[in-house]
Amino acid sequence: MKLFIKFDINTICSQYLKLNLEQNNVNFTTLGFGEIEIEDNIDAEALENLKTKLTPCGFEVVENQKSVLVQKIKDAIIELVFMDDSNNYKSSVFLAEKLNHSYGYLSNVFSEVTYSSIENFIILQKIERAKQLIIINEMSLTEIAFLLNYSSVAHLSTQFKNTTGITPSAFQRIIKKRRENLK
């Protein structure tokens, strides 16, 4: 039997982090996605132990201020891309308002730390979201393009192919074929 599971990556990450912190008896408050405040003093050994437990699952404690800001930018972009009404927001305005910095500053810091642009990261996240929506198979490509704030299906298709090497239609066919082969 094969199950298709729809999941929310933000919830998974938050729950995993909460579980690990509670197992290590760390009192904390969640300030936002990817940001917590430890309420008690924690010694260096306990902090290293926590880091060691989180690292294998892709978590990393960020300590450099520019890296912290870049992580906040990434988290905000992921939040924006996964919002159901994301097409009501212009990404530059959303980021500037959410992070209380000018978009120009955010863009410069992001490029300096990642050697890539915010725009490229947004495209990558939108394509990942498109792939998830195609796999779920509840929306047409037109609906997906609209949800992800593309001007047309052709625009989505161009970015999808530039990123993945195949068109969204070809991706749909591959997914359909795999499902048929598993029956």
Side-chain angles (χ1 to χ4, degrees):
M1 173 174 47
K2 183 172 184 176
L3 299 175
F4 293 94
I5 299 172
K6 184 177 179 180
F7 58 89
D8 177 4
I9 194 71
N10 293 342
T11 302
I12 293 168
C13 289
S14 296
Q15 291 300 316
Y16 182 81
L17 188 59
K18 179 181 177 192
L19 179 68
N20 271 279
L21 290 168
E22 287 174 351
Q23 285 176 349
N24 285 287
N25 297 317
V26 175
N27 294 320
F28 68 97
T29 303
T30 303
L31 301 175
F33 183 69
E35 185 176 4
I36 63 166
E37 181 175 356
I38 296 176
E39 296 172 356
D40 304 323
N41 287 333
I42 184 169
D43 62 44
E45 184 179 338
L47 183 58
E48 280 306 311
N49 183 33
L50 184 62
K51 288 178 185 179
T52 302
K53 287 185 177 185
L54 295 175
T55 300
C57 292
F59 290 90
E60 177 185 351
V61 176
V62 183
E63 298 177 46
N64 171 300
Q65 286 305 309
K66 285 186 177 180
S67 295
V68 168
L69 182 56
V70 166
Q71 189 58 51
K72 286 182 179 185
I73 293 167
K74 288 179 176 181
D75 293 342
I77 290 168
I78 291 167
E79 178 186 335
L80 176 64
V81 169
F82 282 81
M83 285 178 7
D84 288 333
D85 63 345
S86 65
N87 58 3
N88 293 334
Y89 299 97
K90 187 172 180 181
S91 57
S92 58
V93 173
F94 178 81
L95 291 172
E97 287 178 357
K98 179 143 184 94
L99 301 173
N100 295 318
H101 291 287
S102 74
Y103 181 75
Y105 175 74
L106 296 173
S107 180
N108 288 338
V109 169
F110 192 91
S111 297
E112 178 185 324
V113 172
T114 67
Y115 304 104
S116 184
S117 68
I118 287 177
E119 291 77 14
N120 285 339
F121 187 77
I122 291 170
I123 291 167
L124 291 173
Q125 294 308 310
K126 288 170 83 171
I127 298 307
E128 285 304 311
R129 177 76 167 132
K131 288 178 359 187
Q132 287 179 353
L133 293 169
I134 290 169
I135 290 169
I136 292 169
N137 199 26
E138 294 177 353
M139 301 173 80
S140 69
L141 290 179
T142 302
E143 291 169 323
I144 292 171
F146 177 77
L147 178 70
L148 296 176
N149 204 18
Y150 282 99
S151 57
S152 66
V153 175
H155 186 206
L156 167 62
S157 294
T158 300
Q159 283 192 346
F160 195 99
K161 185 168 184 173
N162 289 344
T163 303
T164 65
I166 60 174
T167 65
S169 301
F171 185 75
Q172 279 180 318
R173 287 190 296 275
I174 291 168
I175 298 300
K176 183 179 179 186
K177 189 74 170 168
R178 285 185 181 168
R179 286 183 178 150
E180 290 171 359
N181 289 340
L182 292 172
K183 288 182 181 176

